[in-house]
Amino acid sequence: MNRIIHYTIPYKSSSLTEFLRFGSGMERFYFESNQSPTAIAGLGIAAQITSGGANRFAELGQSVQEFFQRIICIDASNAFPRPTLLGGGAFFDQTERGFWDSFPQATLVLPRYALTCVNGETFFSVNQLSAENEALVEISQRARFEAESFLARLESTILPAPSIPDEITTNETSRVIWQNTIRDSVEMIRRGELKKVVMARPVQVHGNRPMDVPALLESLGESCPSCFRFLFEFTPGTAFAGATPERLVSVSSAKFTTAAIAGSVRRGDFPAEDEALGQQLIKSQKDQSEHSFVKDEIYARLKSLVASLQVDVAPRLLRLPNIQHLWTHITGTLHPNQSILDLAAALHPTPAVGGVPAEAALQLIHQLEGFERGWYAAPVGWVDANGNGDFVVAIRSGLFHDNTATLFGGAGIVADSDPDKEWEETGLKIHFLLNAMRAELA
């Protein structure tokens, strides 16, 4: 296999979303949150690993170290970030054709050009495939020239105002069909066929012009900086993007962090109401039961795979702009030679987006949900050459294509779920993105 040349230089502080806007018409990749030590925006594809099937995420993990061994870092410094791959995969191991055609079953991408922010410092990278038997001095010169040329174009370009629709219409799932789906799910749960299932529904959004997705992500970063914002665009014009509160797992120096998030209620219109709603959520037997399914299943899946594991005794409130959740912090230590993708493979799908038991829940989702999830609610994130990384659950998300978007929202269904309340909960989650899109109209 050809070597991959990685050339990195320090760069002035810069907006990652503006970098993405500069790369309009290219493949684009992005991950950022004030909870993650690394933020990265990538343009183009220098190299890529793909996988498929039921073991797709574990197989990616097995390929990562070999892939990184192909990379030669020019002018490497311990102060510079290591080469980083961005990627993710589909929720199910089989995906129907349609808008998700350009999205692999599972993939990790090394961008051609990348801006990476680590601990307040910004770095620019170029990644190139080297020709066979090409001398290192020639490769170095070519990489430096390409970096200088690209940055000259970047710094001399005045970007136009974002393309934002000034009219948006929506087309929702039939409420009656949704209610019947939830009733059927509850009936199966009460018969003991499963304990919990997460049902989602889509909302179709139509604008009179395309939405500038990086500009939308910038707005979401201002309203919810703790959310994990992401963008994956393998074919220019078709982008999967969102701002999720749910971390699947992060790894730093063999220490991992994950969380159980389940149970939801809206935010209050004033502080006293907000606090009352939060206490109502904490005391809700239905929501505590749903949360326990998630927490206990995460513990069960990880305990035999890791060297140590600690779980908070009681859930806390996670407050987001329009919704609050029950949240339990989980930490631990990896075994030697374990990767973040091993844990991602073990955790996906979490009970927060699938159900308990997992196999029965996934079968019911296939049977009743009625749309293709694609990458919705699946792992997305990054991993670097040191084995560090951050993967999140791709909820609060949408698939953007030309003038349309499909936004997704799900709810955990248990024995005492009420179809009307679950409709309202999914609506809150969908409107997190929809409201951000509409705010751009002002």
Side-chain angles (χ1 to χ4, degrees), residues 163-183:
S163 169
I164 297 171
D166 52 27
E167 296 178 9
I168 286 180
T169 59
T170 61
N171 181 22
E172 295 207 55
T173 305
S174 163
R175 185 163 183 160
V176 173
I177 293 175
W178 169 263
Q179 289 173 328
N180 289 337
T181 297
I182 302 310
R183 290 191 184 100

Side-chain angles (χ1 to χ4, degrees), residues 202-233:
V203 169
Q204 302 294 327
V205 180
H206 306 274
N208 60 338
R209 64 176 68 95
M211 169 63 69
D212 189 313
V213 179
L216 176 64
L217 290 167
E218 178 72 21
S219 175
L220 288 166
E222 294 170 358
S223 63
C224 190
S226 63
C227 287
F228 301 90
R229 283 97 61 201
F230 58 86
L231 167 68
F232 290 88
E233 187 174 4

Side-chain angles (χ1 to χ4, degrees), residues 282-342:
I282 288 174
K283 295 174 183 177
S284 165
Q285 183 175 351
K286 180 263 182 188
D287 289 289
Q288 285 284 355
S289 175
E290 181 185 343
H291 186 83
S292 293
F293 286 145
V294 175
K295 179 187 67 176
D296 294 346
E297 185 71 9
I298 290 173
Y299 180 85
R301 293 188 194 182
L302 291 182
K303 66 179 181 179
S304 64
L305 297 178
V306 299
S308 67
L309 183 60
Q310 296 84 41
V311 181
D312 283 358
V313 174
R316 292 174 270 172
L317 289 175
L318 173 64
R319 287 189 163 107
L320 301 172
N322 72 333
I323 196 169
Q324 45 192 324
H325 299 284
L326 295 177
W327 179 88
T328 296
H329 194 216
I330 301 169
T331 59
T333 306
L334 295 177
H335 284 304
N337 302 319
Q338 227 172 15
S339 80
I340 187 172
L341 285 153
D342 294 322

Side-chain angles (χ1 to χ4, degrees), residues 80-136:
F80 291 2
R82 305 298 295 157
T84 301
L85 307 178
L86 296 105
F91 185 88
F92 290 108
D93 56 18
Q94 298 291 328
T95 304
E96 294 179 8
R97 299 183 64 81
F99 281 155
W100 295 102
D101 277 358
S102 62
F103 289 78
Q105 276 292 299
T107 190
L108 290 169
V109 167
L110 181 69
R112 182 63 180 260
Y113 310 103
L115 273 189
T116 305
C117 297
V118 182
N119 299 323
E121 294 186 89
T122 303
F123 302 85
F124 174 74
S125 301
V126 171
N127 297 292
Q128 297 179 341
L129 290 177
S130 69
E132 190 174 355
N133 299 322
E134 186 176 11
L136 188 58

Side-chain angles (χ1 to χ4, degrees), residues 3 23 36 66 101 140 200 210 239 247 249 304 321 356 366 371 411 415:
R3 296 172 297 176
S36 186
E66 181 182 352
D101 277 358
S140 301
R247 170 179 268 150
V249 61
S304 64
V356 179
H366 261 308
F371 73 96

